[in-house]
Amino acid sequence: MASGAGPEIERLMALLSKLPGLGPRSARRAALALLKKREQLLLPLTSAMQDAADRVTSCHICGALSTQDPCATCADPARDRTMICVVEEDSALWAMERVGAFKGRYHVLGGLLSALDGVRPEDLRLTGLMQRVLDGEVEELIMALPATVEGQTTAHYIADRVRQIAQGVQVTYLARGVPVGGELDWLDDGTIAHAFKSRR
Amino acid sequence: MASGAGPEIERLMALLSKLPGLGPRSARRAALALLKKREQLLLPLTSAMQDAADRVTSCHICGALSTQDPCATCADPARDRTMICVVEEDSALWAMERVGAFKGRYHVLGGLLSALDGVRPEDLRLTGLMQRVLDGEVEELIMALPATVEGQTTAHYIADRVRQIAQGVQVTYLARGVPVGGELDWLDDGTIAHAFKSRR
Ligand SMILES: [Zn+2]
Ligand SMILES: [Zn+2]
């Protein structure tokens, strides 16, 4: 991208274009907006990113990104410790929390099993999940995974393993209502709330 | 956005959503990508933004964003000093430089006259432009402004003022080829190059 803007600005544009949803063109627009709005945008965003880099870690219990460990959800005594909602990524957890329909705790797998992409059980946060299941407090594991092949494969794999180690733990699935192929965090909040209530 | 992610991550999402092209949803995706790719994305982008905040300034001659003053284009003795290409924003300058069809220098107005938005001549980088015209080296002023009402109003206003102070300076316009209503940096490079060659 020889834009004549100099190496610092070109590097900024190149890195911005790596953000999901930003191509080279929108990365240039974003760079220009940052540089033109130094005080209102560039400096606050830089400091927010620096804060995030310094302080964000993964909760050692559920794997969620958080600035405290355990995260706020795991640390909250008011959350129901008998239910764990299993999600692929933090974005799904964030979507659930915006809806506010779920009062239990979470487990963030950090991905989905995929033969195609070579994602194996040991690549996901599964050992910790089985540990939590074995701890004895958990009565229900809610699979809030995408209605895709990978999502369903992962859900069934987890259900099988749970059945082997803890027969008393019920494994449930979000009701249809989550469109096939749909990622959770792209759904409207009402759909998620409904799918939650009628989970099977 | 009560996502349960904590105030630092929420602040990051809120600031990202102020970038052009990113709504709340894509801002959440961008935040997640940054936090998951700490070493490859979050840290390099933070440092690029910090560099930009520390070092980027406006060239005192042409107004372009740059880490040096005068900017590389104004400082380059190989650039034709008889031609100035007048653009609205740095993004148009960057588009021109990518095409590489123009070997003169630039002037970045920083906006367009607009009765509706209350943008007056004194809000644009016009005094500096008239100074450059008066300096005597300039023979041609190329109006590379959008083919919108504001773009054409601004071009005619500049042409009028130039006619009053320096009759010898020719004012030209990008040829049609730039679609009506089109912003320069959204065009393909071939269109820009063509419009440039057949300017009138
Ligand atoms: Zn946690
Ligand atoms: Zn300059």
Side-chain angles (χ1 to χ4, degrees):
Chain A
M1 287 209 273
S3 68
E8 289 83 0
I9 297 177
E10 310 242 333
R11 180 162 159 256
L12 179 62
M13 293 193 277
L15 286 164
L16 284 169
S17 74
K18 293 186 183 172
L19 289 175
L22 287 187
R25 264 179 190 177
S26 41
R28 290 196 290 268
R29 299 226 142 199
L32 185 61
L34 285 167
L35 295 169
K36 288 194 73 175
K37 296 181 183 168
R38 191 177 189 281
E39 310 299 322
Q40 311 98 291
L41 194 51
L42 177 55
L43 296 182
L45 183 54
T46 306
S47 104
M49 286 169 58
Q50 191 63 61
D51 271 6
D54 291 344
R55 308 194 43 205
V56 173
T57 180
S58 289
C59 172
H60 79 278
I61 300 173
C62 71
L65 294 163
S66 170
T67 46
Q68 49 187 93
D69 184 16
C71 72
T73 312
C74 287
D76 184 353
R79 304 289 297 220
D80 185 345
R81 301 172 77 86
T82 67
M83 298 168 110
I84 293 179
C85 177
V86 178
V87 295
E88 176 188 2
E89 291 290 2
D90 288 83
S91 47
L93 184 162
W94 299 341
M96 296 284 180
E97 287 299 292
R98 280 197 307 279
V99 174
F102 178 63
K103 293 301 171 200
R105 300 199 292 167
Y106 293 94
H107 199 85
V108 181
L109 294 176
L112 295 174
L113 295 179
S114 166
L116 210 66
D117 298 331
V119 182
R120 296 153 308 170
E122 55 268 39
D123 300 320
L124 305 181
R125 223 171 262 115
L126 280 173
T127 310
L129 178 59
M130 294 308 145
Q131 209 78 53
R132 294 176 76 183
V133 165
L134 282 173
D135 278 351
E137 278 186 319
V138 178
E139 295 168 10
E140 181 179 357
L141 221 55
I142 303 163
M143 297 290 151
L145 299 176
T148 57
V149 173
E150 284 83 7
Q152 297 315 297
T153 303
T154 308
H156 291 134
Y157 176 86
I158 293 173
D160 279 349
R161 284 192 49 182
V162 169
R163 211 175 297 126
Q164 289 162 23
I165 60 170
Q167 277 86 3
V169 174
Q170 205 184 352
V171 176
T172 58
Y173 300 84
L174 287 196
R176 291 296 166 204
V178 180
V180 173
E183 301 279 343
L184 274 181
D185 62 330
W186 291 96
L187 293 178
D188 66 287
D189 294 353
T191 304
I192 297 180
H194 176 81
F196 224 96
K197 264 179 279 172
S198 42
R199 67 184 178 273
R200 44 183 181 79
Chain B
M1 287 208 274
S3 67
E8 289 84 359
I9 298 177
E10 308 241 334
R11 180 163 160 254
L12 179 62
M13 293 193 278
L15 285 165
L16 283 169
S17 74
K18 292 187 183 173
L19 288 176
L22 289 186
R25 262 177 192 179
S26 40
R28 291 196 290 266
R29 300 227 141 196
L32 185 61
L34 285 167
L35 295 169
K36 288 194 74 177
K37 297 180 183 169
R38 192 179 187 281
E39 311 298 321
Q40 313 98 288
L41 194 51
L42 177 56
L43 296 182
L45 184 54
T46 305
S47 104
M49 286 168 57
Q50 192 63 61
D51 272 5
D54 292 344
R55 307 192 44 205
V56 173
T57 179
S58 289
C59 172
H60 79 279
I61 299 174
C62 72
L65 293 163
S66 171
T67 47
Q68 48 188 95
D69 184 15
C71 72
T73 311
C74 287
D76 184 352
R79 304 287 297 219
D80 185 346
R81 300 173 77 85
T82 67
M83 298 168 109
I84 293 178
C85 177
V86 178
V87 295
E88 176 188 1
E89 290 290 2
D90 288 83
S91 47
L93 185 163
W94 299 341
M96 296 284 178
E97 287 299 290
R98 281 197 307 277
V99 175
F102 178 63
K103 294 301 171 199
R105 300 199 291 167
Y106 293 95
H107 199 86
V108 181
L109 295 176
L112 296 174
L113 295 178
S114 166
L116 211 66
D117 299 331
V119 183
R120 296 152 308 170
E122 55 267 39
D123 300 320
L124 306 181
R125 224 171 259 115
L126 281 173
T127 310
L129 179 59
M130 294 308 143
Q131 210 78 54
R132 294 176 77 183
V133 165
L134 282 173
D135 278 350
E137 278 186 319
V138 178
E139 294 168 11
E140 182 180 355
L141 221 56
I142 303 164
M143 297 290 147
L145 298 177
T148 57
V149 174
E150 284 83 5
Q152 298 314 299
T153 303
T154 309
H156 290 135
Y157 176 85
I158 293 173
D160 279 348
R161 283 192 49 181
V162 169
R163 210 175 297 127
Q164 288 164 21
I165 60 169
Q167 277 86 3
V169 174
Q170 206 183 351
V171 176
T172 60
Y173 300 84
L174 288 196
R176 291 296 164 203
V178 180
V180 173
E183 301 278 343
L184 274 181
D185 62 330
W186 291 95
L187 294 177
D188 65 288
D189 294 353
T191 304
I192 297 179
H194 175 81
F196 223 96
K197 264 180 278 173
S198 43
R199 67 184 179 272
R200 43 180 182 80

